[in-house]
Amino acid sequence: MGDRTAEENSFQCTSQGDEHLIGLDEFLQRLNTTAEGLSSEEALRRKELCGPNLLEKRKKESLLKKYLKQYGNFFALLLLFGSVLSFAAEYLDPGQGNIFIAIALLGVVILNATFTFIQEYQAQKIMESFQNLMPPTARVKRDGEIVELPASELVVGDIVYLEEGDKIPADGRLIVQNTLKVDNSPITGEAEPQLRSLECTHEDMLECRNMVFSSTLVQTGNGEAVIFSTGSDTQIGKLSLLTEETASVDTPIRRELNHFVKIISSIAIFLGIAFFIIGFFIQDTVLASLIFAIGIIVANVPEGLLPTVTLALSLASRRMAKRNALIKQLESVETLGSTTVICTDKTGTLTQNKMAVHTVYTGSGYMDAASGQEPPEILLRVAVVCNNARLSEEPPGYRGDPTEGSLLVYAERFRDIRKMQEGYPRLAEYPFDSRVKRMQVICKTPEGNMDSYLKGAPEVLLEMCDRIMADGNESELTGPKKRQLEEEYLKMAKRGERVLAYAFRKAGEVKEYKEHFIFLGFSGALDPARPEAREAINRCYRAGIKVVMITGDHPVTARSIASLVGLTNEDGDPVMITGTELELMPTEELSHKLKSRSIIFARTSPLQKLKIVRAFQAAGEIVTMTGDGVNDAPAIKNADMGVAMGSGTDVARESADMVLLDDNFATIVNAVEEGRTVFDNIKKFIAYILTSNVPEILPFIAFVLLGLPLPMNVQLILAIDLGTDILPAIALAVEKGEGDIMDRPPRSSKEKLLTPQVLLTSYGLKGPIEAVAGFACYFAVMYGGGWSWGQQLAFSDPLYRQAITAFFAAVIVCQIANVFASRTRRQSVFAKGMFSNRLVLLGIASELLILAFIVLHPFANTIFNTAPISMEYVLLAVPFALLLFTADELRKYLIRHGSASVRDVLGW
């Protein structure tokens, strides 16, 4: 074959998409190969032309470039600008403490950038898990001999040998198969392994049984396949590229924080520039105006916000881990709280993934599978021999199709099924097919005769039977009796059981029989719904969250589970959409159906799952998507919140934002509750930290407009933002949710962290009270020390240092009252219990310790330009603190009992 001309060797490296449809001769001719395979020389030429059988990775940005990008946001640029100004002020007037300000601001920027970089770096690992799916070696026919080669050496046109337990190395078309059964779930999501065929059975390549696909597993049998796609051209390769090309979606909390930072930064820049100009014209000194600009910027920007948010999300993720939800991306904690749609798997998430025989019905009546009553031996024989599953030592006790596996586990209670299989060896198998809905095997009996054993859909088998066996006796299967049997299996199906019927007949030759069977009975297998699933779905409905089941399974199976777990619309049945219907459905019709409360998507492909997620997002929904297979990875990554099963594939777990350690739908709902609480709490500590901005900004305005000695310096502002406010803010972040948190609708995508109501509460109510307290203590010290209006004091003057210390102490005292007031948004603090959050008490203790250190310690006095003061000046702030607390309690009372307009103005 290596002597062929270039023209003869012409072929395409990429699949044309119709390899399953064309005749085998045409297929082999297109690939320029034969059933004897390729020569080594030809294989080498093809590898050089098409590349190795590997999943390619796109070139990634360098780590340095990724890290430097973190310094390009508004927040970082503003703080860097403040740091540069501080360095300039230190250069113009050394020894005034500006060097400490410059270093502190620079440290905040570096800390925030490093946090963000670490989170983004984790996303680069997603594609590595795809490489692990490629098998290391494959058995290939080269130069007329079977050799074992690295899977990366495979090329288009190679003949590969497949046996039980093999991971298929590339996409191929079968040319030989012997009861070959393949688990396609990594590609299609189909739960049941499917028997292969040499014939084209479906127009869709993924559904066609003459195809095998890279990364799928051979369950039973053996065969040979001609490779027609390798590397990134395989179905798994396309999924790999699709996942890589799918852009990760910004989390709602990230979008909100960006919005918050832009507003605060804009205010800071505007005030900084405006008052720099005003200060220059009033005081005619560049240095004084420069100090003022630095102060305005530092006072407006809550430097501790991002570290506090990060710590708050980290604490929430730890709480969720204790509830079996492992968060990979910290910001995703809050995304769960804004979820409006949950797209969930069926098997293992809504069910226990423990398929077991629940009911047996024979001509003699019902048998409870749990009772230990032994069914007829002939029925057990059909269930065991007409079966392609195998028993296993590992849970759930079998390998293969769950329904067939459950039959073996059930039969093993009464018979040695291995001896039964050996005693009735197969001579032929006519596999289950979605069109014929039955499986038939011809077996040799110990007496040397042949039997035909049949199992399948009840309505199909009943049409093939004309006799029935009851208590070991045969009788005619009449029309009325058939109708009675139909009623019985419908009762079983309505209980959510997967019903199979069993029949047999004598066989005179090896062929497929279609009539004159003897009916033996039904079995009903049940994958029990998780007992907590129904209540979890009800909680979703109460919380205004739409629940959508997306599965690769049959619609009937999906619908039965939906009824068990309460997945219903107002009129009962959920909306059912199959993958085929979805493909043909106009966008307008899909958009209309997506408005239903409960929806089931059955027989879906990976691209269709991604299409569903994007359709919901286009409608303005916040989507949480669950999955466990490789085929789920693109949709998981594209969803606002990707959730993988702990028992799922590495690819799914790498692509997800959260991993369910117990694969339980109820855990998702618990996580949603936690996410809602997180958003509430972030708003609480934002309102808390913004309050201190007012007493931080007003001293600089008074410094410029009134000519006062600066009432508070930049060092003390940083001490508040990066010191005293941090632990109380974190304490607010771990507050338990208010009682109605899962009875509210999901928060609107338009709801912001920073609202006019938040600004009114912080800047219009509590902040001014803190500022008045600060000025009261400041003037008490100044006038008590003999100062007169208009008199200028040097920064090193002991009286000035005591006055700014008093101002700082007053702000801290009022912030203690503020942290208590901020524990609730609408309820009275007394309804929660003043001391129920011990971390709040620890936060207050930390504030007092920092205050004592800055006021009393000589080293701190040097850094912050402070001086010890009498306790009476600190106590002077207490009435203002009580006023602040009372004013906020009054605000909450008016929200609870006032008119709608009052709630709109005061509520946040």
Side-chain angles (χ1 to χ4, degrees), residues 432 437-439 454-461 499-502:
F432 178 88
K437 299 180 181 179
R438 65 177 185 263
M439 175 183 179
L454 182 69
K455 85 172 191 300
E459 66 273 18
V460 173
L461 265 68
V499 185
L500 288 176
Y502 304 88

Side-chain angles (χ1 to χ4, degrees), residues 733-805:
V734 299
E735 279 287 347
K736 292 182 179 179
E738 298 182 32
D740 64 343
I741 200 156
M742 285 300 284
D743 293 326
R744 311 174 195 164
R747 74 176 181 86
S748 168
S749 57
K750 296 179 182 179
E751 183 180 345
K752 304 296 182 184
L753 280 171
L754 188 61
T755 62
Q757 292 86 350
V758 171
L759 290 174
L760 176 63
T761 301
S762 297
Y763 284 6
L765 178 64
K766 296 190 289 185
I769 294 175
E770 288 193 2
V772 171
F775 279 111
C777 294
Y778 169 83
F779 284 120
V781 172
M782 293 285 275
Y783 282 118
W787 176 81
S788 59
W789 189 273
Q791 179 184 349
Q792 291 299 315
L793 298 176
F795 289 158
S796 59
D797 190 295
L799 179 62
Y800 171 74
R801 295 172 67 182
Q802 287 181 326
I804 64 172
T805 303

Side-chain angles (χ1 to χ4, degrees), residues 2 21 78 93 192 298-299 347 357 375 382 417 519 521 561 567 572-573 593 611 647 663 673 745 830 862-863:
L21 298 173
L78 190 62
D93 189 9
E192 300 180 6
V298 174
T347 304
V357 174
V382 175
I417 65 171
F519 177 79
I561 293 299
L567 191 62
D573 288 339
K593 290 197 172 186
K611 180 180 179 179
S647 61
D663 294 4
E673 181 179 3
F830 296 104
T862 302
I863 294 176

Side-chain angles (χ1 to χ4, degrees), residues 245-286:
E245 291 167 359
T246 300
S248 295
V249 177
D250 266 352
T251 60
I253 192 64
R254 171 52 53 189
R255 293 195 292 268
E256 286 306 307
L257 286 173
N258 288 340
H259 174 76
F260 176 87
V261 166
K262 285 179 181 179
I263 291 179
I264 294 297
S265 300
S266 299
I267 294 173
I269 292 171
F270 172 77
L271 290 177
I273 294 175
F275 281 92
F276 175 83
I277 296 171
I278 294 171
F280 178 76
F281 281 110
I282 292 177
Q283 300 189 12
D284 196 24
T285 51
V286 174

